[in-house]
Amino acid sequence: MAADELNPWWRVGLRVVTPLVYVFFRVRIVGIEHVPARGAAIVAFNHVSALDGPVLGIELSRRARRETRFLVAAEFFHKTFFGWVLRTFDQIPIRRGAGDVHALDAALETLRSGALLMIAPEGAVNTELDGELQRVRSGVARLALPTGVPIIPVGLWGAQRRWPRSGIIWSRLWRRPLLAIAFGPPILPDGDATAEADVDHLKERLRVRLVEQVNAARALAGDPVR
């Protein structure tokens, strides 16, 4: 376990925000042993709530003792408080839909430095509540193929019961919904990053595995696919 990977900001932040997660949710996690104790990896997760990334980062840091870097929509860096938090914790701004070369370079550098990179391949919070994935974008494949790092597929389910895409739900705060996180075995990239056929093949492998992990998370949360 890489216990020394958390810098002082992460250690303080975890003490402050971890209790808040457990105020609003009952958290269940399986498969976290698939996250490497050291070395680079891409953690790819489905996106059902604005809380997905923060909760996943908190639980990974708390349980695996690893820092995480996210690709975060650039507009959040312009918000006074959230921008300060994102910069303090060294997150990566990305301009969605703009082919952001600087974000791609920063992500590649993150992986080459041996760190964990977190990406939601759908690109935005899902508006559908039935669990069906949106289109999986090619960014994960374009990062994994040239670096050779494993991709850890993660299914999340339950955060949307408190904060769906339409906004936070303040009613019945005393009820703590189950929030399930299901980590799956790594996907090992194979192919050429400059060959679109290889990019598409890896993208499809990721999509299939994400569906499996979302179904696992739903079952863990007591809301299995019918």
Side-chain angles (χ1 to χ4, degrees):
M1 180 177 293
D4 60 342
E5 188 169 318
L6 299 180
N7 68 30
W9 277 113
W10 276 94
R11 294 175 189 275
V12 171
L14 284 177
R15 292 177 182 174
V16 172
V17 299
T18 298
L20 295 177
V21 173
Y22 288 83
V23 165
F24 291 106
F25 297 103
R26 293 170 291 148
V27 180
R28 291 182 180 174
I29 296 178
V30 295
I32 198 167
E33 67 275 7
H34 295 303
V35 178
R38 59 184 60 83
I42 297 172
V43 179
F45 59 97
N46 69 304
H47 211 0
V48 294
S49 169
L51 295 176
D52 294 331
V55 169
L56 186 55
I58 289 165
E59 291 299 326
L60 257 178
S61 299
R62 189 173 75 87
R63 296 169 186 255
R65 309 305 294 174
R66 298 207 58 182
E67 293 183 15
T68 56
R69 295 189 75 189
F70 288 81
L71 289 173
V72 181
E75 56 263 31
F76 287 101
F77 284 78
H78 300 307
K79 299 179 184 296
T80 303
F81 174 73
F82 289 111
W84 175 81
V85 170
L86 292 168
R87 286 187 292 272
T88 298
F89 288 88
D90 202 23
Q91 304 307 302
I92 303 170
I94 183 169
R95 292 172 294 171
R96 292 186 290 196
D100 196 332
V101 175
H102 295 295
L104 179 62
D105 288 344
L108 286 169
E109 182 58 33
T110 294
L111 294 172
R112 288 169 178 150
S113 72
L116 288 181
L117 181 67
M118 316 279 278
I119 302 178
E122 296 169 281
V125 176
N126 202 333
T127 58
E128 301 297 328
L129 300 181
D130 59 4
E132 184 174 348
L133 287 181
Q134 303 171 95
R135 177 175 66 90
V136 171
R137 305 186 184 201
S138 62
V140 172
R142 296 186 189 280
L143 291 168
L145 286 171
T147 58
V149 303
I151 305 166
I152 313 300
V154 183
L156 295 104
W157 196 256
Q160 75 276 15
R161 293 171 179 152
R162 180 57 61 197
W163 196 333
R165 183 166 179 170
S166 57
I168 192 169
I169 298 172
W170 292 105
S171 61
R172 299 183 179 181
L173 290 178
W174 64 89
R175 299 185 64 177
R176 293 190 304 145
L178 273 172
L179 193 163
I181 306 174
F183 295 84
I187 302 167
L188 302 180
D190 182 22
D192 183 350
T194 64
E196 287 302 315
D198 290 346
V199 171
D200 289 342
H201 178 64
L202 183 54
K203 184 173 70 171
E204 176 60 16
R205 289 173 61 198
L206 174 59
R207 187 195 66 79
V208 170
R209 291 290 305 281
L210 277 176
V211 169
E212 292 175 357
Q213 294 312 126
V214 171
N215 290 344
R218 291 188 64 165
L220 190 63
D223 185 21
V225 178
R226 293 176 175 82

